[in-house]
Amino acid sequence: MWQSLPEFGTGVLYAILVTAAYTFAVGLASARGRPRLLQAARLGAYGTIALVGLAVLVLAYAFVSHDFRIAYVAQYSDRSMTTPYLIAALWGGQDGSLLWWMFLTALFSGGCVYWLRRKYLELQPYVIATLMSIMMFFAILMVFSTNPFQTSVAGAPLDGSGLNYQLRNFYMIIHPPSLYVGFTSSAVPFAFAIAALATGRLDSEWIIATRKWMLFSWLFLSIGNVLGMLWAYEELGWGGPWAWDPVENAAFLPWLTASAYVHSTMIQERRGMLKVWNVSLICMTFFLTIFGTFLTRSGLIASVHSFARSGIGIFFLYFMAVIFATCASLIIYRLPRLRGDDQFEAALARQAKPPFNSWGFISFLVFLVVISLPVVHITASFLSQDPDGAALWFVTWLGLPATLAVTGLLLYRLRNLRSDGHFESLLSREAAFLFNNWGLFSIMIFIAVATVWPRISEWLLDQKSTLGPTFYNMWLPPVALVVFLLMGVAPLLGWRKTSPELFRKSFRWPVLATVIAAALHLTLGKKVGFAPFVAVDPIYPGQLGDGLAKLASTYPFITVAFAAFNVAVVVQEFARGIAARQKRGGESFFASFYNLVARSRRRYGGYIVHVGIAVMFLGFAGRAWGVDKEISLHPGESVEIEEYRLVYAGPRMEVDSEKRMVFADLDVERHGAPVGRISPAKFIYKATPEAPSTEVARHITLKNDLYVIIGMANPQTKVASFQLHVNNLISFMWFGAGILVLGALIAMWPDIALEEAGAFGYVRAAGSVTASVVFAFLLAGGPSQAYGHPIQEGFGRPTLVAPGGAGVEGHAPAAGETVHAGQAPAIDAILPTAAQPLQPAFE
């Protein structure tokens, strides 16, 4: 068998497709009340999951045994790679990452099926069928388009190409799996939503079932995005952790809708409201995970860390069409049930058969899919030679009218969508949650449209356009700050309506804390380097640009004030709870604190999450006080930036078995006192000399990071160019993320009860332990220093620089030249290529 490993792996993929299809069919058949078929569907799900695990083990074995007959193994590994990076190469490329995606989906599907057992018997058939349909899609994708076991036509090379060196980073070992866990675990809430819509059981039963899964998914979406920020900050040399790169945006979109659902689900649990909204949010979250993958892998967008352009975009378009058609059809069909139809409730009470013919709906859905797929195919074939371009054409011209039609229908029936209650007052907790949800949804729509806008503009308007960080940073903060404020306002309001007395009592201390913080910021902020108002250059001519710039200048002050408000709200809520427990039971402060959190983990864990987000907002605001500079220095020259003074000691080179490393040593003084030496570098790998990697150097304090990137060096004069960034409060992002993870852990930690010892209890515990480890890495990784190599006495090796000193972009900055904060680096490495040998610069 192992002599034909590629064929065996391909055979496993075919077996996965067959077993998933079988389980899908049996699961739907069991929906008609045949318990033996339901058991067969459960066993079929376990069999499918086992086969997916076997496929991953086969590919992992191929990597560790260096089986270069498999093209994917040869492309993403070589014999010099250590075992951790060989395992990470499983998801380092497109084919393997899709298999890994299916593997994680299989794990969560198995955990869900085992957890269900004898619970939710009416929902189980549709839950299993939905999960198996997702497995079928990925199996079809790998069998017919991106087979990770495909062999190379030219035969097996002696050695592989190796993993991209930008991916040989600790955070890239744990970032993709964490993000994929968030993506794939969202399939379980999606399956429950489809099951609830299909069966008509749309009360709080399915909400309770999905709440824990969605919180789990939200936690790992948060962890994955933060780890991606850490990787970009340390490896890409952007100058900051977030640059509104399309791939970053794609990963951020489902986090927004998941955050909205985590809040709005409480309204349905408490008041029986927003049923349509909650179902739609779950469907949107799963849809956005597929949409983000479509953007990343179809070649629609240009990104520094997207996958290579391929022909799989049309497969994802088909799948997205099926998801949209299914969700929209079910929601429209179930509108009477979603608004709380009394006749339906009476029928359930009498144990009558629900007014739903599953086979009739399935026939209608199949008809809808059969009609839509030829339209996609014709569009892709005749309107463009570019399938992914045609895909976007289809979504724009056919998907948009369909979306508008569904939205119009929902708005037309808005008055009938009230389920068991209605909003009694704008000053109520449910109203604040709803406004918060609309803010998150608006941000999601804005980012999604802005991400694909360059391609829309190119295809529909016949003109090229780009939307960079400046655009996002100008338009998004107003909505984000409103959502940030509502995050603190909601806990202070009562359910249904807030009396004037409760309003005054709840807001008194938080407002006072906000006023004090704002006054301190106005009086002391500029003295300590954090001015409340920062001048911003207009990005548009005329009154619009001036107005936006003036508004943007107030964002730092508003952010600090709102952060103080949110923290004060959480402190007040904890103080009230502790005081109430001490008054009732005479407990000590620490006992009251522990019991308060233990008895209401979801509530107080959420409050801790709010503190983490407030701290992260301070980190985001710190970018407004950052200073960026580009400069060229001779050895011995110095430059000052903020409280730092850097003296350029000169270049040096080190060599190991796989790369040559060019360092530029800089002695750093802070407030006139020496604090050490940092050494930004360029690494030139023997396998890819034309693509050197940027290795940043940082000096880290609680207040700011000194972040330095080397651009180029002249071999004759030893002049080197640098990008210097002082990133204020950047550490607050990592500390805030750690607090967020801690709060989410508290909210999802299993209760100590016998019934929690099931599969999902273990899943939650395992997820909590994993998140705890990541939390520790966040705290440990925040203050780590990159490449602060000490200079070696008597070092006599030649230092690598490029002849002539001409940049890739032909730009050598003058001394003291400044650049706008948040922009991508303007200087690239001036390093030797294969046609341009290394030259020693000094002895």
Side-chain angles (χ1 to χ4, degrees):
M1 176 181 65
W2 302 113
Q3 284 74 24
S4 58
L5 192 66
E7 292 81 359
F8 178 76
T10 302
V12 173
L13 294 180
Y14 278 100
I16 292 170
L17 178 57
V18 171
T19 56
Y22 160 80
T23 307
F24 173 80
V26 173
L28 289 181
S30 68
R32 304 188 67 83
R34 301 173 66 179
R36 290 186 178 180
L37 288 182
L38 178 57
Q39 182 62 18
R42 292 168 57 85
L43 294 176
Y46 290 139
T48 304
I49 294 159
L51 287 172
V52 175
L54 177 60
V56 172
L57 287 176
V58 171
L59 186 59
Y61 177 81
F63 269 106
V64 298
S65 63
H66 304 299
D67 191 340
F68 297 129
R69 293 175 299 171
I70 298 176
Y72 181 75
V73 174
Q75 185 177 0
Y76 291 97
S77 70
D78 58 40
R79 298 184 186 276
S80 66
M81 288 171 55
T82 58
T83 301
Y85 286 117
L86 287 173
I87 299 301
L90 276 171
W91 53 80
Q94 179 165 271
D95 301 353
S97 66
L98 291 173
L99 179 61
W100 185 255
W101 187 302
M102 184 168 66
F103 172 66
L104 291 175
T105 304
L107 287 181
F108 289 113
S109 299
C112 176
V113 172
Y114 181 76
W115 170 68
L116 284 171
R117 284 177 291 188
R118 296 185 179 277
K119 296 181 291 186
Y120 309 110
L121 293 178
E122 291 190 28
L123 299 179
Q124 273 197 50
Y126 295 100
V127 171
I128 294 173
T130 303
L131 292 172
M132 289 302 106
S133 68
I134 300 170
M135 304 286 286
M136 287 168 57
F137 165 71
F138 282 100
I140 290 171
L141 192 63
M142 283 183 283
V143 166
F144 296 105
S145 181
T146 59
N147 184 354
F149 300 102
Q150 184 177 1
T151 56
S152 175
V153 177
L158 295 177
D159 198 0
S161 301
L163 186 65
N164 185 325
Y165 293 103
Q166 286 187 329
L167 304 182
R168 299 192 186 191
N169 179 283
F170 170 75
Y171 294 115
M172 280 306 293
I173 296 178
I174 59 176
H175 156 57
S178 299
L179 195 59
Y180 288 171
V181 165
F183 284 162
T184 56
S185 58
S186 67
V188 175
F190 173 71
F192 270 95
I194 295 298
L197 288 167
T199 59
R201 301 185 64 89
L202 291 163
D203 51 13
S204 60
E205 177 186 43
W206 77 275
I207 285 289
I208 295 173
T210 59
R211 181 180 65 201
K212 301 172 183 178
W213 288 99
M214 186 57 86
L215 183 59
F216 182 90
S217 177
W218 178 87
L219 170 62
F220 276 90
L221 285 172
S222 304
I223 292 174
N225 277 282
V226 171
L227 292 176
M229 293 165 62
L230 277 167
W231 171 72
Y233 191 55
E234 285 196 359
E235 187 68 26
L236 294 183
W238 280 345
W242 194 270
W244 297 107
D245 183 81
V247 174
E248 292 178 319
N249 296 348
F252 186 46
L253 294 177
W255 184 90
L256 293 167
T257 52
S259 299
Y261 174 79
V262 167
H263 290 84
S264 66
T265 185
M266 291 186 284
I267 302 177
Q268 182 170 344
E269 293 175 28
R270 185 70 178 248
R271 299 287 312 280
M273 302 167 60
L274 299 183
K275 292 182 178 180
V276 176
W277 182 237
N278 285 329
V279 170
S280 301
L281 282 176
I282 286 184
C283 293
M284 278 190 287
T285 300
F286 180 73
F287 180 88
L288 288 172
T289 64
I290 304 300
F291 176 71
T293 309
F294 168 69
L295 289 181
T296 305
R297 301 165 192 274
S298 63
L300 281 174
I301 57 175
S303 167
V304 297
H305 49 347
S306 63
F307 291 90
R309 183 179 180 84
S310 67
I312 68 172
I314 198 67
F315 288 87
F316 279 96
L317 179 64
Y318 291 155
F319 192 46
M320 288 190 294
V322 171
I323 294 172
F324 176 80
T326 304
C327 295
S329 301
L330 281 171
I331 290 173
I332 293 173
Y333 185 82
R334 288 300 181 187
L335 281 180
R337 178 65 184 91
L338 288 169
R339 70 170 185 259
D341 195 316
D342 294 336
Q343 294 181 358
F344 195 96
E345 295 285 354
L348 289 178
R350 296 192 304 268
Q351 295 184 352
K353 184 179 179 180
F356 174 68
N357 187 318
S358 59
W359 290 110
F361 177 77
I362 292 169
S363 301
F364 169 72
L365 180 59
V366 170
F367 171 77
L368 191 63
V369 172
V370 169
I371 291 298
S372 64
L373 293 185
V375 174
V376 179
H377 179 73
I378 293 171
T379 303
S381 300
F382 294 102
L383 293 180
S384 174
Q385 297 300 320
D386 177 6
D388 296 316
L392 186 58
W393 190 97
F394 170 78
V395 171
T396 304
W397 290 101
L398 297 181
L400 182 60
T403 304
L404 292 176
V406 173
T407 304
L409 180 61
L410 293 178
L411 291 176
Y412 177 72
R413 293 295 186 184
L414 189 60
R415 290 183 299 176
N416 296 328
L417 294 181
R418 295 179 304 168
S419 45
D420 300 328
H422 60 277
F423 290 102
E424 298 180 16
S425 171
L426 290 178
L427 290 178
S428 63
R429 188 171 299 185
E430 53 266 41
F433 279 156
L434 181 62
F435 293 143
N436 181 284
N437 272 219
W438 278 110
L440 291 170
F441 182 74
S442 301
I443 294 173
M444 185 273 292
I445 293 295
F446 178 89
I447 294 175
V449 173
T451 301
V452 300
W453 175 253
R455 301 308 295 266
I456 296 176
S457 174
E458 181 179 348
W459 287 324
L460 301 184
L461 305 180
D462 197 24
Q463 62 182 18
K464 293 184 177 182
S465 64
T466 57
L467 300 177
T470 305
F471 171 83
Y472 289 94
N473 294 336
M474 187 64 73
W475 286 101
L476 272 180
V479 182
L481 287 172
V482 170
V483 173
F484 188 37
L485 176 63
L486 290 172
M487 186 181 77
V489 168
L492 300 179
L493 301 175
W495 293 102
R496 296 183 182 274
K497 61 182 178 180
T498 305
S499 65
E501 180 182 357
L502 178 61
F503 184 86
R504 289 193 297 269
K505 183 179 179 181
S506 299
F507 279 84
R508 180 174 52 202
W509 292 110
V511 170
L512 179 61
T514 304
V515 171
I516 293 174
L520 290 174
H521 193 197
L522 287 171
T523 55
L524 303 176
K526 194 171 183 178
K527 296 179 181 178
V528 296
F530 302 121
F533 305 103
V534 179
V536 177
D537 296 330
I539 64 172
Y540 303 112
Q543 295 182 350
L544 174 63
D546 293 339
L548 288 174
K550 290 179 181 178
L551 181 63
S553 67
T554 66
Y555 293 158
F557 174 72
I558 296 173
T559 302
V560 170
F562 286 0
F565 177 77
N566 274 276
V567 173
V569 168
V570 174
V571 171
Q572 176 177 272
E573 292 298 306
F574 271 93
R576 285 179 174 178
I578 292 172
R581 292 194 64 87
Q582 289 180 322
K583 185 177 181 180
R584 289 198 307 265
E587 297 176 334
S588 67
F589 174 84
F590 292 105
S592 297
F593 177 84
Y594 175 82
N595 291 327
L596 179 71
V597 176
R599 297 293 176 86
S600 187
R601 294 176 183 172
R602 184 183 175 198
R603 177 182 179 183
Y604 290 99
Y607 288 153
I608 295 174
V609 169
H610 286 188
V611 173
I613 293 175
V615 174
M616 291 186 73
F617 262 80
L618 291 176
F620 298 143
R623 188 61 180 147
W625 299 299
V627 177
D628 304 331
K629 181 179 290 188
E630 292 185 3
I631 193 167
S632 298
L633 297 174
H634 289 81
E637 290 185 335
S638 64
V639 59
E640 293 186 1
I641 178 170
E642 293 295 281
E643 68 265 34
Y644 295 98
R645 180 174 180 268
L646 292 83
V647 180
Y648 176 41
R652 60 187 172 89
M653 184 180 72
E654 297 180 9
V655 180
D656 63 19
S657 60
E658 65 178 8
K659 63 182 177 295
R660 282 177 271 192
M661 300 166 282
V662 180
F663 297 95
D665 294 320
L666 294 161
D667 295 316
V668 182
E669 298 177 3
R670 187 168 187 257
H671 297 300
V675 293
R677 170 171 287 187
I678 59 176
S679 303
K682 292 289 184 181
F683 288 180
I684 308 96
Y685 294 90
K686 295 178 181 178
T688 56
E690 72 284 354
S693 66
T694 299
E695 308 298 329
V696 304
R698 294 184 293 158
H699 175 75
I700 301 172
T701 65
L702 181 62
K703 178 184 177 183
N704 56 38
D705 281 10
L706 173 63
Y707 185 99
V708 183
I709 308 163
I710 181 175
M712 63 180 182
N714 186 291
Q716 285 78 34
T717 63
K718 304 174 189 176
V719 174
S721 63
F722 300 93
Q723 284 188 26
L724 311 177
H725 304 270
V726 176
N727 296 326
N728 284 293
L729 303 183
I730 194 73
S731 294
F732 280 54
M733 290 189 188
W734 320 130
F735 293 137
I739 297 171
L740 181 149
V741 171
L742 177 63
L745 287 174
I746 293 173
M748 68 177 293
W749 195 266
D751 296 328
I752 304 177
L754 186 62
E755 62 269 19
E756 287 285 351
F760 189 69
Y762 295 124
V763 170
R764 291 169 65 193
S768 300
V769 171
T770 303
S772 300
V773 174
V774 175
F775 172 66
F777 279 125
L778 286 174
L779 295 182
S784 64
Q785 181 165 328
Y787 301 104
H789 298 283
I791 194 72
Q792 299 180 13
E793 295 295 336
F795 185 74
R797 292 182 181 176
T799 296
L800 169 66
V801 287
V808 171
E809 300 295 334
H811 172 67
E817 180 180 352
T818 58
V819 294
H820 294 290
Q823 292 181 341
I827 306 177
D828 204 348
I830 309 308
L831 294 167
T833 64
Q836 181 177 286
L838 304 179
Q839 296 185 11
F842 68 96
E843 293 293 339

